[in-house]
C-alpha cells in the first residue's frame, strides 16, 4: 500500500512560515483576485484562496466582475492594480468567459505582481531555471517530493499533460532537478507504454481514472494533479486512487494532495512579491 503524500498537512506548515514572514513586514501584503462571472468552481477556488490569505495575514482584495464585462474594462482594472502600492500580487481566476482573450489579459499583469507565474517573462525564467516567481502547482509538487525525501535526481519522470500552467513548467522544473523527463499529451500514442517507465509519474489532464493500476510501474511515485467534479458533488483526480495505491510507493490524494500545496505556494509567492516591491 502506497504512502500518502499529505499535501494538506504540508501546506499548513508552509502557511505558518508565510505568516511568520508577513508578521515581520511593516505592512501586510495585498493579493488582488479578479473573478469574472459566477462559475461555481471558480467561486470555490477564490473563496479558498481568501481563507488562506486570512490564515497567512495577507490582505485579500476581491474584484468580482459580471460575465458580460467588456475586455477593455477588465484591462483597465488590471492596469490600475499594477500601479496600486497596496497590491503586491494579482491573479485572474480562470477559465474566463467566452469572448475574453485570456492570454492577453494574463500578459497585462505586471510580471512583478504575477504571483501565479503565468506571464511570459516568468515562464521564460522557469525555462532558464532563474525563477522570479515559481509556478504554484509545479512548485507544490517539487516541495512535496522534497518533504518526503523522494530523490528526483537521475529518476525517469513522466508528465502526462502539456499545459502552460502545469505540464510544461512541471517538466522544466523536474529537469532542473536532474530528472530525465518525458512529456505525454493528447496526441501521444500508447500512453501506457510511457507511464509504465516512470519512476515519478505526474498526471495533470482533467480526466477521471485516466491512470489505472496496469499503467503504473510497481514502486513508482504518483502525483495526481487532476481535479474532476463527480455527480455526487465530490471531486476526484486523474488517477484510479484505490487501485494505483496498491502498486505505487507514494501517491497524492484528491482532495488533500496537490490542491492545498498550490494555494500555499501562492501565499508564499505573494509574501515574496511584497519583499521585492517594498
Amino acid at each position: 500500500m502506497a504512502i500518502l503524500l499529505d499535501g494538506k498537512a504540508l501546506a499548513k506548515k508552509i502557511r505558518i512560515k508565510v505568516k511568520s514572514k508577513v508578521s515581520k513586514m511593516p505592512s501586510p501584503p495585498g493579493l488582488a483576485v479578479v473573478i469574472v462571472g459566477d462559475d461555481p468552481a471558480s467561486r470555490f477556488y477564490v473563496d479558498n484562496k481568501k481563507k488562506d490569505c486570512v490564515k497567512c495575514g495577507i490582505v485579500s482584495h476581491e474584484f468580482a466582475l459580471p460575465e458580460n464585462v467588456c475586455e477593455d474594462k477588465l484591462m483597465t482594472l488590471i492596469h490600475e492594480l499594477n500601479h496600486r502600492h497596496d497590491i503586491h500580487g494579482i491573479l485572474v481566476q480562470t477559465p474566463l468567459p467566452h469572448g475574453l482573450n485570456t492570454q492577453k489579459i494574463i500578459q497585462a499583469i505586471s510580471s512583478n505582481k504575477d504571483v501565479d507565474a503565468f506571464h511570459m517573462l516568468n515562464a521564460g525564467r522557469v525555462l532558464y531555471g532563474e525563477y522570479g516567481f515559481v509556478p504554484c502547482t509545479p512548485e507544490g509538487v517539487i516541495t512535496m517530493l522534497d518533504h518526503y525525501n523522494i530523490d528526483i535526481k537521475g529518476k525517469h519522470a513522466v508528465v502526462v499533460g502539456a499545459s502552460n500552467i502545469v505540464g510544461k513548467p512541471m517538466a522544466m522544473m523536474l529537469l532542473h532537478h536532474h530528472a530525465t523527463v518525458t512529456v505525454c499529451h493528447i496526441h501521444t500514442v500508447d500512453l501506457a507504454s510511457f507511464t509504465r517507465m516512470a519512476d515519478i509519474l505526474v498526471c495533470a489532464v482533467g480526466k477521471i481514472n485516466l491512470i489505472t493500476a496496469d499503467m503504473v510501474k510497481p514502486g513508482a511515485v504518483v502525483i495526481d494533479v487532476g481535479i474532476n467534479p463527480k455527480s455526487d458533488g465530490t471531486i476526484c483526480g486523474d488517477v484510479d486512487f484505490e487501485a494505483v495505491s496498491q502498486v505505487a510507493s507514494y501517491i497524492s490524494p484528491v482532495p488533500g494532495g496537490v490542491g492545498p500545496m498550490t494555494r500555499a505556494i501562492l501565499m508564499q509567492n505573494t509574501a515574496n512579491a511584497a519583499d521585492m516591491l517594498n
Side-chain angles (χ1 to χ4, degrees), residues 60-136:
S60 175
H61 303 262
E62 180 182 310
F63 298 87
L65 302 175
E67 186 170 358
N68 62 352
V69 67
C70 70
E71 190 168 279
D72 286 347
K73 185 172 182 179
L74 181 51
M75 294 288 282
T76 297
L77 171 60
I78 292 172
H79 181 75
E80 291 171 354
L81 295 174
N82 282 340
H83 289 84
R84 276 181 56 170
H85 296 296
D86 62 329
I87 299 294
H88 303 91
I90 303 169
L91 67 86
V92 176
Q93 184 64 44
T94 56
L96 291 171
H98 180 72
L100 295 174
N101 186 329
T102 299
Q103 192 61 246
K104 177 182 176 182
I105 290 162
I106 296 300
Q107 299 311 314
I109 298 172
S110 167
S111 62
N112 292 326
K113 296 187 177 186
D114 169 40
V115 288
D116 266 333
F118 292 165
H119 192 282
M120 287 183 182
L121 180 58
N122 289 323
R125 287 171 174 160
V126 172
L127 178 66
Y128 281 89
E130 298 176 1
Y131 309 140
F133 296 114
V134 285
C136 298

Side-chain angles (χ1 to χ4, degrees), residues 167-183:
K168 291 177 185 175
M170 185 79 258
M172 285 298 104
M173 292 176 71
L174 287 165
L175 190 60
H176 292 316
H177 283 79
H178 310 295
T180 297
V181 182
T182 298
V183 179

Side-chain angles (χ1 to χ4, degrees), residues 113-170:
K113 296 187 177 186
D114 169 40
V115 288
D116 266 333
F118 292 165
H119 192 282
M120 287 183 182
L121 180 58
N122 289 323
R125 287 171 174 160
V126 172
L127 178 66
Y128 281 89
E130 298 176 1
Y131 309 140
F133 296 114
V134 285
C136 298
T137 298
E139 176 64 11
V141 172
I142 295 293
T143 302
M144 188 183 293
L145 293 172
D146 181 65
H147 176 76
Y148 281 89
N149 297 313
I150 298 169
D151 192 16
I152 302 173
K153 186 177 181 180
K155 300 295 176 60
H156 185 185
V158 175
V159 179
V160 183
S163 71
N164 292 331
I165 294 172
V166 180
K168 291 177 185 175
M170 185 79 258

